[in-house]
Amino acid sequence: MKLFYSPGSCSLGIHALLEEIGQPFELALVDLKSGAHFKAEYGAINPKATVPALQRDDGTILTEWQAIAWYLAKSNPALELLPADLEGEVRTLELLDYMVATVHMRGFSRIFRARNFTPTTADEPAVVQTGQDVVAHGFKLLDQILGPRAYLLGDFSIADAALFYLEHWAVALSLPVPPGLAGHYARLRQRPAFTRALATEGLV
Ligand SMILES: N[C@@H](CCC(=O)N[C@@H](CS)C(=O)NCC(=O)O)C(=O)O
């Protein structure tokens, strides 16, 4: 398998999951900062011009964070990266969708790319503030869901890898992180797979 990634982006969570799985995989750098995702070469791989994208061993490409994580969990059942029961599965999907579609796409995306949300430069600080409010509300809810447990669903799951990249961004931006999530982030950084992914991406 080959993961198309950009260092420190949301692909970090998928990278850490591939490390958790422990099977050989390749990394292909798509440097978002230099606009490599808009070049024709990457367009032929993922016309959505986003990372992560996963090329599987049969050559097919899978996109969208939740779909890639779900595929990795389901194709490695012995690792139990997903709860086995229906209730556990829908709770995982519920968490993934909230973290990726809301906290990431409606929150952090406004902070990182305010200009994509308004044609008016003067409005950009307000866009960033809205993004920070979405993140703060999301982190409050996720902190409540985590509660005193080590991981979002009790045992480690793909949901924790999504929360990890959000926490990583918040720490990098010096945004407030509730104590429970700060503990969760520290705990994941200690997992060898996450430590390796961070080191490979030059983030430690
Ligand atoms: N819905 C996509 C979103 C992925 C996404 O937005 N990735 C960001 C990096 S974290 C990206 O590729 N951005 C490209 C850009 O900003 O132009 C997913 O879940 O994979």
Side-chain angles (χ1 to χ4, degrees):
M1 279 190 292
K2 188 192 283 186
L3 175 67
F4 293 86
Y5 84 109
S6 189
S9 77
C10 57
S11 54
L12 173 63
I14 300 295
H15 184 178
L17 287 175
L18 285 166
E19 288 284 359
E20 287 280 342
I21 290 164
Q23 302 291 329
F25 65 93
E26 287 175 57
L27 287 172
L29 176 65
V30 183
D31 184 26
L32 297 182
K33 287 198 183 104
S34 66
H37 52 312
F38 295 125
K39 301 264 166 63
E41 190 188 345
Y42 190 59
I45 293 159
N46 178 10
K48 294 175 183 171
T50 55
V51 292
L54 185 72
Q55 184 172 44
R56 294 176 291 181
D57 292 338
D58 65 359
T60 57
I61 301 285
L62 196 55
T63 63
E64 302 296 333
W65 205 101
Q66 298 101 308
I68 296 170
W70 201 265
Y71 168 76
L72 291 175
K74 285 289 205 183
S75 53
N76 294 279
L79 296 180
E80 299 182 348
L81 297 171
L82 256 181
D85 60 312
L86 176 61
E87 180 62 16
E89 284 194 342
V90 292
R91 290 298 176 195
T92 308
L93 271 180
E94 183 183 41
L95 278 165
L96 288 179
D97 195 56
Y98 183 62
M99 290 189 281
V100 178
T102 296
V103 182
H104 170 178
M105 299 307 295
R106 295 173 60 192
F108 281 104
S109 293
R110 280 188 164 85
I111 299 170
F112 288 134
R113 300 244 194 274
R115 68 179 177 279
N116 290 352
F117 291 82
T118 175
T120 312
T121 308
D123 288 343
E124 288 183 15
V127 170
V128 170
Q129 185 58 58
T130 301
Q132 289 178 351
D133 293 346
V134 171
V135 171
H137 183 62
F139 273 15
K140 187 174 159 202
L141 294 182
L142 290 162
D143 192 57
Q144 285 167 1
I145 291 165
L146 178 67
R149 294 176 304 183
Y151 298 112
L152 276 171
L153 293 154
D155 294 327
F156 175 79
S157 75
I158 54 177
D160 296 293
L163 182 53
F164 179 75
Y165 82 75
L166 300 174
E167 292 163 341
H168 183 78
W169 285 347
V171 169
L173 294 168
S174 301
L175 295 177
V177 179
L181 298 192
H184 176 265
Y185 180 59
R187 195 170 302 119
L188 284 181
R189 285 182 67 101
Q190 301 283 325
R191 283 179 79 94
F194 284 72
T195 308
R196 281 197 299 278
L198 287 166
T200 303
E201 295 197 17
L203 302 172
V204 283

